[in-house]
């Protein structure tokens, strides 16, 4: 039987009771009857720290709407894992049909995912991964191959340096990491580290914590530049970090981009990032597709039909430079 679509909210943290709609002996009205047919999805999002994240949230909101047969319960975790764990427990108490989790970090999910499994609520993980010994604790994962993204960025840099005749020069790379422990940070860092190991003339001059945000990256990159240090390449692990690095480079009077002294590498390929790429501010932007809503719905529909979905759902991605971009392409982009 389909669980009730709408449950009264206002459950206190740590203790709650499920409240049935309509009241005892009271006939259901049309809206209540309609709600019985809705698939209830509880979604815990990392936050709104980047343009990519906002697009990811909107993809979910636009997919899981009443017209499509869903009710979406949404939680903005504001970058806190404890908020996500509390949200999942509340979703379990409210007996949602499915839980969708975009985890802040990979570790620390076994206990709450076991609770969801015990409640027989499928959990679909999106974007970043969860690291658990028993992968039956979640039903499926949808997202990007972050290591492959890092490898693409490194391959582009290899080719670009060869074009410039600099493949044998000492190349100093400033590494701006995203949120420590996040899958995107780990995979993109692994890609760079493989490149550093392969090319002995590539030097990582510093690793800074940009936290995937423009403000934090601006702060740490400006401090780096004002200390008198320099780099040939800034490897930023998302577009918002690239925006912060560009802001710091401009303030410090350092030329950058396709016509400057410092190459800027970025990830996500949001509309704003691609615009900077087209204008030559960002040298290369590796795609990370945030439109996961339809893919998650495909998994839910398979489950609703009694089918077993694949465990991993990778999205196809590429990279962009000024050479393969146009205003028309950027304008038509969904994110």
């Amino acid at each position: 039987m389909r669980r009730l679509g709408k449950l009264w909210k206002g459950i206190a943290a740590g203790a709650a009771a499920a409240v049935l709609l309509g009241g005892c002996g009271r006939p259901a009205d049309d809206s209540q009857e309609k709600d019985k047919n809705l698939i209830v999805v509880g979604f815990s999002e990392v936050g709104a720290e980047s343009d990519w994240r906002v697009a990811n949230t909107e993809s979910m909101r636009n997919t899981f709407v009443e017209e499509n047969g869903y009710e979406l319960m949404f939680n903005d975790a504001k970058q806190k894992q404890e908020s996500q764990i509390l949200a999942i427990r509340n979703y379990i108490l409210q007996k949602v049909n499915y839980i969708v989790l975009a985890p802040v970090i990979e570790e620390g999910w076994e206990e709450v995912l076991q609770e969801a499994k015990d409640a027989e609520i499928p959990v679909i993980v999106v974007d970043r991964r969860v690291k658990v010994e028993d992968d039956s604790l979640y039903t499926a994962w949808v997202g990007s191959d972050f290591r492959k993204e890092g490898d693409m960025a490194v391959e582009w840099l290899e080719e670009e340096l060869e074009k410039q005749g600099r493949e044998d020069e000492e190349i100093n790379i400033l590494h701006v990491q995203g949120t420590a422990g996040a899958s995107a940070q780990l995979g993109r860092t692994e890609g760079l580290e493989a490149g550093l190991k392969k090319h002995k003339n590539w030097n990582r001059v510093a690793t800074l914590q940009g936290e995937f945000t423009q403000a934090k990256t601006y702060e740490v990159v400006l401090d780096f530049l004002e200390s008198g240090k320099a780099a040939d390449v800034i490897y930023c692990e998302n577009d918002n970090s690239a925006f912060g690095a560009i802001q710091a480079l401009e303030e410090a009077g350092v030329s950058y981009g396709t016509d400057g002294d410092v190459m800027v590498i970025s990830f996500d390929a949001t509309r704003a990032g691609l615009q900077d790429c087209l204008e030559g501010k960002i040298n290369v932007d590796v795609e990370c597709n945030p439109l996961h809503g339809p893919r998650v719905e495909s998994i839910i529909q398979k489950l609703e039909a009694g089918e077993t979905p694949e465990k991993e759902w990778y999205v196809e991605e590429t990279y962009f430079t000024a050479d393969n971009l146009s205003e028309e392409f950027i304008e038509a982009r969904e994110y």
Side-chain angles (χ1 to χ4, degrees):
M1 289 181 63
R2 170 74 60 215
R3 297 183 182 91
L4 291 180
K6 286 188 179 292
L7 295 172
W8 292 102
K9 299 179 181 178
I11 297 175
V19 181
L20 298 177
L21 288 172
C24 182
R26 180 180 172 186
D29 59 22
D30 290 343
S31 64
Q32 289 170 320
E33 287 297 326
K34 184 177 182 180
D35 285 344
K36 289 182 180 180
N37 296 318
L38 294 178
I39 298 172
V40 185
V41 177
F43 175 42
S44 180
E45 176 67 281
V46 171
E49 80 284 1
S50 65
D51 295 351
W52 189 99
R53 188 63 55 190
V54 172
N56 182 245
T57 297
E58 286 307 302
S59 180
M60 296 296 181
R61 289 187 186 276
N62 293 337
T63 299
F64 297 108
V65 294
E66 190 170 310
E67 304 90 272
N68 293 341
Y70 299 96
E71 177 190 347
L72 180 66
M73 295 182 176
F74 178 75
N75 161 253
D76 179 345
K78 302 185 187 304
Q79 305 286 323
K80 295 179 180 178
Q81 185 181 36
E82 57 268 30
S83 296
Q84 295 197 295
I85 291 172
L86 178 60
I88 291 171
R89 287 183 170 142
N90 279 337
Y91 292 151
I92 293 169
L93 287 169
Q94 295 178 79
K95 299 182 180 180
V96 301
N97 299 113
Y98 298 93
I99 292 172
V100 180
L101 169 65
V104 176
I105 58 174
E106 293 189 350
E107 305 278 357
W109 299 103
E110 283 89 351
E111 184 176 347
V112 73
L113 292 185
Q114 183 65 58
E115 292 170 21
K117 182 179 180 180
D118 292 344
E120 299 183 351
I121 300 175
V123 175
I124 300 167
V125 179
V126 298
D127 181 32
R128 304 171 184 177
R129 291 181 178 268
V130 295
K131 188 175 288 185
V132 292
E133 290 187 10
D134 178 8
D135 68 2
S136 73
L137 294 180
Y138 65 95
T139 299
W141 168 84
V142 176
S144 302
D145 187 334
F146 298 114
R147 170 59 191 272
K148 184 178 179 181
E149 291 177 359
D151 290 341
M152 280 195 282
V154 167
E155 288 168 10
W156 174 86
L157 182 57
E158 290 172 338
E159 293 172 3
E160 182 63 21
L161 290 171
E162 187 175 351
K163 285 180 187 176
Q164 296 180 14
R166 301 173 61 193
E167 63 269 28
D168 297 323
E169 287 184 19
E170 292 289 317
I171 302 298
N172 293 323
I173 301 173
L174 174 60
H175 182 193
V176 183
Q177 287 187 332
T179 303
S183 299
Q185 177 271 307
L186 294 171
R188 292 165 187 170
T189 293
E190 286 174 5
L192 175 60
E193 288 177 343
L196 290 165
K197 186 176 181 180
K198 178 180 177 182
H199 299 279
K200 301 304 180 184
N201 58 317
W202 291 12
N203 307 309
R204 180 162 46 186
V205 292
T207 298
L208 307 178
Q209 302 304 314
E211 300 175 0
F212 289 132
T213 70
Q214 179 171 344
K216 182 63 176 179
T217 302
Y218 162 74
E219 174 188 329
V220 296
V221 173
L222 187 61
D223 285 346
F224 172 87
L225 296 171
E226 289 182 340
S227 70
K229 299 175 184 176
D232 302 297
V233 178
I234 300 185
Y235 185 95
C236 299
E237 291 189 343
N238 79 331
D239 279 348
N240 287 78
S241 282
F243 303 152
I246 287 169
Q247 184 181 357
L249 287 164
E250 290 180 347
E251 189 164 324
V254 178
S255 64
Y256 63 90
T258 55
D259 297 323
D261 295 327
V262 179
M263 288 183 272
V264 178
I265 293 175
S266 186
F267 297 84
D268 283 355
T270 60
R271 189 179 290 134
L274 292 184
Q275 188 63 46
D276 275 2
C277 198
L278 180 63
E279 294 173 5
K281 297 178 180 179
I282 292 174
N283 295 73
V284 62
D285 204 344
V286 180
E287 185 176 33
C288 184
N289 192 328
L291 306 181
H292 294 158
R295 295 176 179 84
V296 173
E297 185 184 24
S298 294
I299 294 170
I300 289 175
Q301 289 303 317
K302 283 181 177 291
L303 293 168
E304 288 289 304
E307 301 174 14
T308 301
E310 295 177 11
K311 193 72 174 180
E312 295 186 339
W313 294 55
Y314 283 101
V315 295
E316 290 295 323
E317 295 166 338
T318 185
Y319 68 82
F320 299 96
T321 67
D323 294 333
N324 63 355
L325 285 172
S326 67
E327 292 284 0
E328 292 75 18
F329 177 86
I330 297 171
E331 183 63 29
R333 200 160 177 80
E334 292 185 60
Y335 61 95

